[in-house]
Amino acid sequence: MPEPRKRVLLAKPRGYCAGVDRAVQTVEQALDLYGAPVYVRKQIVHNLHVVRALEKRGAIFVDENHEVPEGSIVVFSAHGVAPEVHEQAAARGLKAIDATCPLVTKVHQEARRFAKDDYDILLIGHEGHEEVVGTSGEAPEHITIVDGPQSVTGVEVRDPERVVWLSQTTLSVDETMQTVDALRERFPLLQSPPSDDICYATQNRQAAVKTIAPEADLFLVVGSANSSNSVRMVEVALAAGARAAHLVENAEAIDASWLTGVTTVGLSSGASVPEILVHEVTDWLAARGYDEVREVAHTEERLAFALPQELRRDLRAATSGR
Ligand code: SF4
């Protein structure tokens, strides 16, 4: 009997979301407009390839504002920052450009509004993740972080009739709903956010993975280990029936032994991953006989965000001055 044809099922959508695209463009355009160096607080997006490429162009990545020389330009990452980070930047005379994804900003606004109405806010998310740190900083005295269903038993609130849940934007949709169900068992009057906090890009990438996973002997997700949405995609692939799944930074990180007995490879990439890294993986697989690549589309994405207004204003001024 002939061997079954080795193939790759490529998930769509994958890779860059609108928020990452905007954040990377923000640093690129800031470098063009103001010249190097441009300081960036934290990784602009959680992908090493992107960070290294921007470093080559003159971006300097720092952990905190105090590492940025007074009067310099600093870009805040897509994950968002607490209000005190803006205050520190102003106190140092930094020119801050805020590349926070507008969908993260929306969660910050929800946190402020519910805190103003004196709710206890149960923020479902990963303790220590930059986005969670930033959102919590909007109303620290009102927010309790709930890091998955296993954390629900320890949650305390002041008034069980005035509780709302919000979430990090890049969680597993299914696991988040399990956490909400467990919270609701403890607090039956728990309110939901006015709209989905888990963003469209996270939801679409997970749904596309689920479509392919049942057919995949091996599922590869291209992404960095600190990228929450990429890590969640590996978990989703396994839960949806992939026989094995791995997160890989790039083609070099693939272990050839994973291909033993594999006919169908599922492939996708996290929201902070440039497409070139996916091409390198398909080339790597093709060199090992997986030369049939079929894209499986779950949905089309057309969303795009305008650059931060402080940058747009300076770009306009530079153009009109020419
Ligand atoms: Fe924005 Fe979602 Fe992309 Fe995060 S993953 S930057 S919230 S669009």
Side-chain angles (χ1 to χ4, degrees):
M1 245 190 29
E3 271 195 26
R5 181 91 192 259
K6 291 175 175 173
R7 61 178 184 159
V8 179
L9 298 180
L10 188 55
K12 182 180 177 185
R14 63 182 176 277
Y16 270 23
C17 60
V20 164
D21 195 33
R22 171 184 187 258
V24 174
Q25 276 194 50
T26 297
V27 180
E28 289 173 346
Q29 299 249 6
L31 283 163
D32 288 346
L33 182 63
Y34 309 113
V38 164
Y39 291 82
V40 184
R41 185 183 174 278
K42 310 285 185 193
Q43 287 192 349
I44 183 74
V45 298
H46 284 156
N47 185 268
L48 269 181
H49 179 93
V50 173
V51 168
R52 298 283 173 263
L54 291 171
E55 277 176 341
K56 277 197 190 133
R57 293 188 55 178
I60 297 178
F61 289 85
V62 296
D63 266 334
E64 294 301 341
N65 284 333
H66 65 75
E67 298 166 59
V68 182
E70 287 186 18
S72 304
I73 293 161
V74 63
V75 179
F76 296 148
S77 79
H79 309 99
V81 293
E84 68 169 4
V85 175
H86 282 280
E87 289 156 18
Q88 290 162 358
R92 281 185 78 70
L94 305 181
K95 179 181 175 62
I97 300 173
D98 189 355
T100 302
C101 176
L103 300 181
V104 175
T105 302
K106 186 199 79 167
V107 183
H108 282 224
Q109 287 162 348
E110 286 168 354
R112 283 201 297 274
R113 181 162 72 80
F114 284 109
K116 186 163 155 279
D117 291 344
D118 204 26
Y119 276 77
D120 276 351
I121 299 164
L122 306 180
L123 176 63
I124 303 173
H126 298 299
E127 188 97 46
H129 186 278
E130 279 153 42
E131 183 188 322
V132 171
V133 172
T135 307
S136 311
E138 289 288 353
E141 64 289 359
H142 285 267
I143 292 181
T144 303
I145 297 163
V146 184
D147 197 343
Q150 71 287 348
S151 311
V152 169
T153 43
V155 174
E156 298 295 338
V157 299
R158 291 169 304 159
D159 177 358
E161 297 192 358
R162 232 171 156 66
V163 194
V164 64
W165 68 273
L166 300 179
S167 86
Q168 190 180 335
T169 55
T170 51
L171 300 181
S172 149
V173 177
D174 297 334
E175 190 187 286
T176 301
M177 291 327 292
Q178 285 169 21
T179 309
V180 171
D181 289 346
L183 284 170
R184 196 156 274 134
E185 270 184 30
R186 290 205 52 210
F187 311 113
L189 297 177
L190 178 71
Q191 290 189 35
S192 299
S195 60
D196 276 345
D197 287 343
I198 299 180
C199 77
Y200 81 100
T202 301
Q203 297 200 32
N204 287 345
R205 278 151 193 69
Q206 288 176 16
V209 166
K210 278 187 190 172
T211 310
I212 292 173
E215 291 185 66
D217 304 308
L218 169 69
F219 207 110
L220 297 176
V221 176
V222 186
S224 291
N226 62 344
S227 161
S228 171
N229 80 89
S230 306
V231 175
R232 302 290 85 73
M233 286 162 73
V234 174
E235 294 167 359
V236 166
L238 288 169
R243 279 180 32 220
H246 297 280
L247 181 70
V248 290
E249 184 79 44
N250 49 35
E252 284 169 27
I254 306 172
D255 182 336
S257 71
W258 296 342
L259 295 176
T260 307
V262 167
T263 303
T264 300
V265 179
L267 178 60
S268 189
S269 56
S272 44
V273 176
E275 189 63 5
I276 185 173
L277 297 183
V278 175
H279 287 161
E280 286 172 13
V281 171
T282 50
D283 288 349
W284 187 95
L285 289 167
R288 285 154 185 84
Y290 298 82
D291 51 1
E292 181 189 321
V293 178
R294 183 157 67 86
E295 190 169 65
V296 181
H298 166 70
T299 188
E300 290 286 335
E301 290 181 344
R302 294 200 172 79
L303 189 65
F305 295 128
L307 291 170
Q309 58 175 0
E310 52 276 31
L311 180 58
R312 271 185 287 147
R313 193 186 49 226
D314 286 358
L315 285 166
R316 266 198 309 273
T319 317
S320 62
R322 272 182 202 149

